[in-house]
Amino acid sequence: MKNYIDIWRKDEKKVNILLVDDRSENLLALESILTSSDYHLISVNSGEEALKRVLIEDIAVILLDVQMPGLDGFETAKLIKSREKSKHIPLIFLTAISQAIEYVKEGCRAGAIDYIFQPFHPETLKMKVEAFVKIYQYQEQIKFQNEALKVINETLLDTLVTFDKAGRIVTINPAITKMFGYTEEELSGEPIDLLVPSITSYYSDPHKLSRIIETFAVCKNTTVFPADIQLGEAKIGGQHVYICSIRDVTERHLLEEERFRKIFESTSCLVSLQAVNDWHYINVNKTWLTSFGYNHYDKVVNRSDLSIKYIVQSNDNGETVVETKDLIHPVQSSRIKYFNQLGELRDGLLSTEFMDIHGEECVLSVITDITDRMSVEKEMARLDGLNLIGEMASGIVHEVRNPMTTIRGFLQISKDVPSPEFIDIMLEELDRAHNIISEFLSISKTNNTKRISKDLNVIIENLFPLIQAKAMYSNHQVCLDLNDCFELKINEREIRQLILNLSLNGLDAMSSGGTLTIKTYQQDNEVILAVQDEGKGIKQEIIDKIDKPFFSTKENGTGLGLSICQKIVSKHDAIMDIKTSSEGTIFFVHFPI
């Protein structure tokens, strides 16, 4: 309502005040008293001229002299009050001839609402005129509001309903007939639930007031259509009422359904829509039909006896056979396998979403077939493996050839000059070749060993004497900082090798007197192993190559230690990070819980 008043005020013009007196000096005196930027003063000197002005102008107040030639003030007043357009205009009589009570009564009978005797007090006259002007302005506002509301009610496409606390309809706009088929008279006093069956639960909840709510409405002929409703509260004439706007959104829903249908039909994913009550198929797309071997929609739609099974992989690498009805909660991109019409086992990602369609609970299932992608990834992994084997084989040949060449040379020399010293050197070279081959075999193993739940801290504590002995031999110290952590499903032998490799690397990286710190802690959903040394740090160009087979910065290193670590980390679905500086290096291994 405030908006209507603001609009009226923006268009507000000067108020017309009609001054009627046959003497020009009196008119001048009135004009000098009432002159204002808010008033438009219209001065006439006869009753006939006053009647003409009333016909063509909107007059707020009339100041009328009683004693005039021709039509006197009383006769003029009676004619003004006899016309429909001007009968509500307030009249103030001005006179200087008689203050008799009968004279005043005659003026009142003629339609005057006030009587001012000359000579009059200027401020009193101004205050009286101002009061009548305010009444006129307020009446104009009310008139404007009523007209605006009438136009809105008659032209608004939405249905506007007011109803009381009992849910009984108080008022309704004309849009009800077109939208619902009722007349306004038919619904007066009827329950609002007749139009919107679910509305009671909305207006009884304060949190849903003023919000747009998607629901459905019912026509007189029981046809149901989708609707957006909005509720508000108000007090009208001391009565507490609710105001409800109802908008028919059938066209919008049809557009949304058409858009959904096009996406539904054109997508390469397998899409199906089922009713939750008995799991019958409401609709499936062409890709779904083709994949599962049906040649027509009629073979599937409305059937609840079809059983499409999925093989779902669980977190512990086990597999479970399920149907859509077994998935009582929505899933997002869950890895599955399924059999197509040819009996092929395909890989897919299954997503489900529960939704309400025309009052019926449904589940939308979408399967994205990733079989081809998985094949490509496996082939790429195989080619990467072959490439790695090639690199490793090349490295093995190079690394083993060196000691073999040394041994062959000393064997030739030993023919002529046998020496125990030569035999020691050859044994060292053979041991070196043996170590290279052993580490190569370790990194090339691909069999999945069994994992068990184990406390990482226990493994570290068992290894501590061995690591400490190595540290003492090279004049280093080892510090353990082990915090409470969840148990992990790990292969203990591999994790022991991981910890030993990282610890020995850290000891080798430090000069005499350094401290190696082995730390464990839990962060978010991870258990973290941190091995920190006090060496000189690792250069960036070395970090980029550090996990490559046969790359080593050690004089006698094989370059396989960190490659083995990386393989162990990967097999445990963990991640290894390196943080390095001139003050040392930390290897972080993040194990998922």
Side-chain angles (χ1 to χ4, degrees):
M1 191 69 70
K2 183 178 183 295
N3 290 338
Y4 301 145
I5 296 172
D6 291 341
I7 293 170
W8 183 85
R9 283 175 176 166
K10 287 179 182 178
D11 295 336
E12 191 177 3
K13 298 177 182 178
K14 287 186 176 184
V15 173
N16 293 324
I17 297 176
L18 181 60
L19 309 177
V20 187
D21 199 307
D22 62 318
R23 300 183 66 177
S24 57
E25 62 270 21
N26 290 341
L27 290 174
L28 286 173
L30 289 172
E31 289 173 359
S32 64
I33 294 170
L34 299 175
T35 296
S36 169
S37 59
D38 296 327
Y39 301 158
H40 177 219
L41 302 178
I42 303 171
S43 300
V44 297
N45 52 22
S46 69
E48 292 83 358
E49 186 66 25
L51 292 174
K52 291 179 184 179
R53 287 289 188 163
V54 167
L55 287 175
I56 61 175
E57 302 279 2
D58 287 327
I59 306 297
V61 185
I62 300 175
L63 275 70
L64 181 60
D65 183 29
V66 173
Q67 194 72 20
M68 292 186 298
L71 281 176
D72 65 15
F74 297 136
E75 293 170 334
T76 303
K78 289 176 182 177
L79 289 172
I80 290 173
K81 291 295 179 179
S82 66
R83 294 171 179 173
E84 184 64 30
K85 181 183 177 183
S86 57
K87 67 180 182 179
H88 298 297
I89 301 175
L91 286 168
I92 301 176
F93 275 141
L94 303 174
T95 183
I97 57 174
S98 176
Q99 299 184 14
I101 190 66
E102 290 300 323
Y103 205 68
V104 173
K105 285 182 179 179
E106 185 179 354
C108 291
R109 285 193 293 269
I113 62 171
D114 202 354
Y115 222 105
I116 297 179
F117 300 98
Q118 296 177 345
F120 46 78
H121 189 273
E123 288 300 320
T124 302
L125 178 62
K126 286 175 67 175
M127 291 174 61
K128 288 189 176 184
V129 170
E130 185 178 340
F132 289 126
V133 166
K134 285 183 179 179
I135 293 172
Y136 167 79
Q137 288 176 329
Y138 181 73
Q139 290 173 340
E140 288 296 304
Q141 289 177 11
I142 298 298
K143 181 180 176 183
F144 177 83
Q145 292 166 16
N146 290 336
E147 290 177 354
L149 287 173
K150 182 180 178 182
V151 171
I152 290 171
N153 275 330
E154 291 176 353
T155 59
L156 190 66
L157 297 177
D158 295 349
T159 294
L160 289 179
V161 186
T162 62
F163 55 95
D164 58 23
K165 283 187 173 183
R168 298 287 175 178
I169 295 174
V170 179
T171 63
I172 201 160
N173 71 332
I176 189 70
T177 303
K178 185 176 180 180
M179 187 178 293
F180 287 89
Y182 292 101
T183 63
E184 296 176 55
E185 292 74 18
E186 285 179 299
L187 290 173
S188 180
E190 293 295 323
I192 184 67
D193 287 349
L194 189 67
L195 304 177
V196 186
S198 57
I199 198 170
T200 305
S201 62
Y202 298 139
Y203 73 79
S204 59
D205 184 353
H207 298 291
K208 292 184 178 179
L209 292 175
S210 301
R211 294 184 181 179
I212 295 176
I213 303 164
E214 293 185 10
T215 183
F216 63 93
V218 183
C219 295
K220 184 177 181 180
N221 61 4
T222 70
T223 303
V224 177
F225 64 88
D228 284 353
I229 67 169
Q230 191 168 12
L231 291 165
E233 290 182 281
K235 276 192 176 182
I236 300 176
Q239 182 183 7
H240 186 93
V241 296
Y242 294 96
I243 303 168
C244 175
S245 70
I246 307 171
R247 174 168 296 179
D248 186 342
V249 292
T250 303
E251 186 175 346
R252 188 185 77 196
H253 274 232
L254 289 174
L255 289 173
E256 291 174 352
E257 288 177 6
E258 177 64 17
R259 190 179 299 115
F260 173 78
R261 187 190 65 78
K262 289 181 179 178
I263 296 172
F264 189 91
E265 290 297 334
S266 61
T267 180
S268 59
C269 298
L270 290 68
V271 187
S272 64
L273 186 65
Q274 292 175 266
V276 173
N277 62 340
D278 62 356
W279 297 100
H280 74 269
Y281 282 89
I282 298 173
N283 201 359
V284 295
N285 70 344
K286 188 175 181 180
T287 308
W288 192 99
L289 286 174
T290 305
S291 296
F292 289 115
Y294 295 95
N295 55 15
H296 201 273
Y297 292 96
D298 294 341
K299 303 288 185 180
V300 177
V301 175
N302 293 324
R303 289 184 59 181
S304 57
D305 59 332
L306 294 179
S307 179
I308 305 299
K309 294 181 171 61
Y310 313 118
I311 302 172
V312 180
Q313 188 171 355
S314 58
N315 293 332
D316 57 358
N317 295 324
E319 293 182 340
T320 307
V321 178
V322 300
E323 299 178 47
T324 308
K325 63 184 179 182
D326 298 321
L327 304 171
I328 59 175
H329 299 292
V331 296
Q332 290 294 326
S333 300
S334 177
R335 289 286 294 271
I336 64 164
K337 295 180 184 292
Y338 67 97
F339 287 97
N340 66 3
Q341 60 169 328
L342 301 176
E344 298 172 338
L345 188 61
R346 309 283 293 180
D347 291 290
L349 298 175
L350 173 65
S351 296
T352 62
E353 185 68 36
F354 289 82
M355 58 186 66
D356 187 284
I357 300 178
H358 302 308
E360 184 175 26
E361 188 179 6
C362 305
V363 61
L364 179 71
S365 303
V366 180
I367 301 173
T368 305
D369 193 297
I370 58 171
T371 306
D372 294 337
R373 191 180 84 189
M374 293 288 292
S375 297
V376 170
E377 288 178 356
K378 287 178 181 178
E379 181 62 17
M380 290 180 65
R382 187 183 71 83
L383 293 175
D384 285 343
L386 290 174
N387 182 57
L388 178 61
I389 290 171
E391 290 181 3
M392 293 178 68
S394 175
I396 283 288
V397 169
H398 176 74
E399 293 294 330
V400 174
R401 182 181 291 167
N402 289 337
M404 291 299 103
T405 302
T406 302
I407 293 169
R408 188 178 187 282
F410 277 104
L411 283 173
Q412 286 179 330
I413 296 172
S414 296
K415 283 182 182 181
D416 302 325
V417 186
S419 170
E421 186 180 342
F422 293 164
I423 294 174
D424 292 339
I425 293 173
M426 287 186 286
L427 288 173
E428 288 179 5
E429 292 298 313
L430 284 171
D431 289 339
R432 181 182 171 198
H434 177 267
N435 289 336
I436 292 170
I437 293 170
S438 297
E439 292 198 27
F440 174 76
L441 292 174
S442 175
I443 198 172
S444 63
K445 286 181 181 179
T446 57
N447 57 309
N448 291 323
T449 50
K450 187 178 179 180
R451 300 183 195 177
I452 60 173
S453 293
K454 194 75 177 178
D455 189 336
L456 187 61
N457 292 339
V458 173
I459 298 175
I460 295 172
E461 288 169 350
N462 291 337
L463 286 174
F464 179 67
L466 180 62
I467 299 171
Q468 190 178 39
K470 172 66 176 175
M472 291 175 64
Y473 180 77
S474 54
N475 195 26
H476 295 314
Q477 292 181 348
V478 180
C479 175
L480 298 185
D481 182 7
L482 308 180
N483 297 279
D484 290 339
C485 301
F486 277 113
E487 289 189 350
L488 300 171
K489 282 196 172 183
I490 54 179
N491 178 273
E492 184 175 355
R493 183 184 62 80
E494 292 178 345
I495 297 301
R496 284 170 61 91
Q497 186 175 6
L498 170 68
I499 297 169
L500 277 174
N501 284 3
L502 293 178
S503 299
L504 296 178
N505 281 349
L507 292 171
D508 290 341
M510 296 187 293
S511 57
S512 179
T515 299
L516 180 78
T517 302
I518 302 174
K519 182 177 181 179
T520 60
Y521 57 96
Q522 191 170 308
Q523 181 175 293
D524 298 330
N525 292 321
E526 295 179 329
V527 171
I528 299 175
L529 166 68
V531 180
Q532 180 176 1
D533 64 55
E534 295 179 348
K536 296 180 180 179
I538 307 172
K539 295 180 180 178
Q540 186 60 47
E541 58 267 23
I542 295 177
I543 290 179
D544 296 337
K545 303 175 184 178
I546 202 167
D547 60 346
K548 300 296 182 183
F550 305 108
F551 176 81
S552 177
T553 58
K554 301 176 185 178
E555 186 176 345
N556 298 315
T558 63
L560 295 174
L562 284 177
S563 295
I564 294 172
C565 290
Q566 189 63 55
K567 182 177 177 65
I568 294 170
V569 167
S570 179
K571 285 174 67 176
H572 285 77
D573 300 319
I575 298 173
M576 185 162 67
D577 289 331
I578 303 173
K579 181 179 179 181
T580 186
S581 69
S582 59
E583 297 178 354
T585 300
I586 310 175
F587 281 83
F588 295 97
V589 182
H590 299 255
F591 293 94
I593 297 175

